Amino acid sequence: DTGVSQDPRHKITKRGQNVTFRCDPISEHNRLYWYRQTLGQGPEFLTYFQNEAQLEKSRLLSDRFSAERPKGSFSTLEIQRTEQGDSAMYLCASSSGQGARLDTEAFFGQGTRLTVV
Amino acid sequence: GESVGLHLPTLSVQEGDNSIINCAYSNSASDYFIWYKQESGKGPQFIIDIRSNMDKRQGQRVTVLLNKTVKHLSLQIAATQPGDSAVYFCAENIGDYKLSFGAGTTVTVRA
């Protein structure tokens, strides 16, 4: 158990519905990341928070996606008007650090498996 | 067992043998690397990391080697066990906040 908790573990939704996922990072970690992983591929970066500030967003994060980390602790990832192409594993990771780059261990949660039908 | 060349998607190894998983990274600016193990239905599990000022780092039953000249990273697993069966990813950081992952190598341990 890495200490990063994600909820729910699985979500099945109908196309067009909105979904929200939650991530609780390791408590002392100030950095939080969201990644997406499709079958047979490595994780792809979506977005990054340092404390409550969202510092970077991937081009993969369309305007239907929004992420928040309001108090610098847990984070939520919302997908509006889901499409079948959104079906994937959504992974959250956390790490510590103060510099301008990732240079310490990043630990992942178990992920939320989203299936859009 | 060893995955040779730039990348082989699968590696089959006899239980008790040593495994070598190879990874070619793309960016010469990358200076921090992590190996992850991912079992089916689970998130990536941190195994070991290495910074570019090192050539080798050892953990429990694992060793990571870094060759910056040819941009190559390898993970060696000693005395491979059935519980080592998983997909292994190398990830690189190019100096910003994110990790870029390779395609992964599926390791199957034969009893």
Side-chain angles (χ1 to χ4, degrees):
Chain A
D1 185 353
T2 64
V4 178
S5 178
Q6 292 189 246
D7 183 71
R9 291 292 310 278
H10 304 274
K11 178 71 176 178
I12 300 174
T13 191
K14 292 184 178 179
R15 188 175 53 182
Q17 297 294 305
N18 299 342
V19 294
T20 300
F21 310 140
R22 177 181 170 121
C23 171
D24 287 272
I26 294 172
S27 58
E28 60 268 27
H29 286 177
N30 59 333
R31 295 178 168 182
L32 186 147
Y33 314 83
W34 285 98
Y35 283 76
R36 181 171 69 185
Q37 186 177 27
T38 53
L39 201 61
Q41 302 298 316
E44 296 175 292
F45 172 80
L46 292 178
T47 191
Y48 159 70
F49 290 87
Q50 179 145 323
N51 301 309
E52 66 277 6
Q54 187 174 20
L55 297 186
E56 189 170 347
K57 293 171 61 173
S58 163
R59 286 172 293 177
L60 293 175
L61 217 64
S62 76
D63 56 5
R64 296 185 297 105
F65 289 70
S66 62
E68 295 182 343
R69 195 183 183 197
K71 298 182 179 179
S73 56
F74 74 93
S75 175
T76 59
L77 177 69
E78 181 183 16
I79 309 174
Q80 295 182 326
R81 305 181 302 282
T82 52
E83 302 172 357
Q84 287 187 321
D86 297 331
S87 295
M89 173 82 87
Y90 289 84
L91 294 162
C92 177
S94 71
S95 71
S96 58
Q98 297 298 329
R101 51 186 300 275
L102 188 161
D103 59 1
T104 58
E105 301 95 324
F107 296 96
F108 281 83
Q110 298 289 38
T112 294
R113 168 75 64 190
L114 173 66
T115 302
V116 182
V117 297
Chain B
E2 179 175 356
S3 68
V4 298
L6 289 180
H7 170 73
L8 268 185
T10 62
L11 175 66
S12 181
V13 60
Q14 185 70 37
E15 182 179 357
D17 286 353
N18 297 334
S19 303
I20 300 176
I21 306 165
N22 295 303
C23 177
Y25 62 93
S26 56
N27 197 317
S28 56
S30 297
D31 59 2
Y32 179 62
F33 305 87
I34 302 178
W35 277 100
Y36 287 95
K37 171 187 179 184
Q38 188 173 28
E39 296 173 277
S40 181
K42 297 185 178 181
Q45 176 187 349
F46 177 93
I47 301 174
I48 192 168
D49 61 354
I50 188 167
R51 303 180 196 286
S52 60
N53 60 352
M54 305 173 70
D55 297 323
K56 178 180 180 179
R57 190 159 189 232
Q58 289 184 293
Q60 187 176 13
R61 281 201 309 119
V62 295
T63 301
V64 56
L65 299 177
L66 175 62
N67 185 330
K68 295 179 286 295
T69 303
V70 294
K71 294 189 288 187
H72 183 267
L73 197 66
S74 69
L75 178 71
Q76 301 177 2
I77 305 174
T80 312
Q81 303 169 358
D84 295 327
S85 293
V87 180
Y88 290 79
F89 292 99
C90 64
E92 62 185 296
N93 174 261
I94 62 170
D96 57 6
Y97 300 114
K98 57 183 174 285
L99 291 170
S100 295
F101 283 78
T105 296
T106 300
V107 173
T108 303
V109 180
R110 305 188 306 271

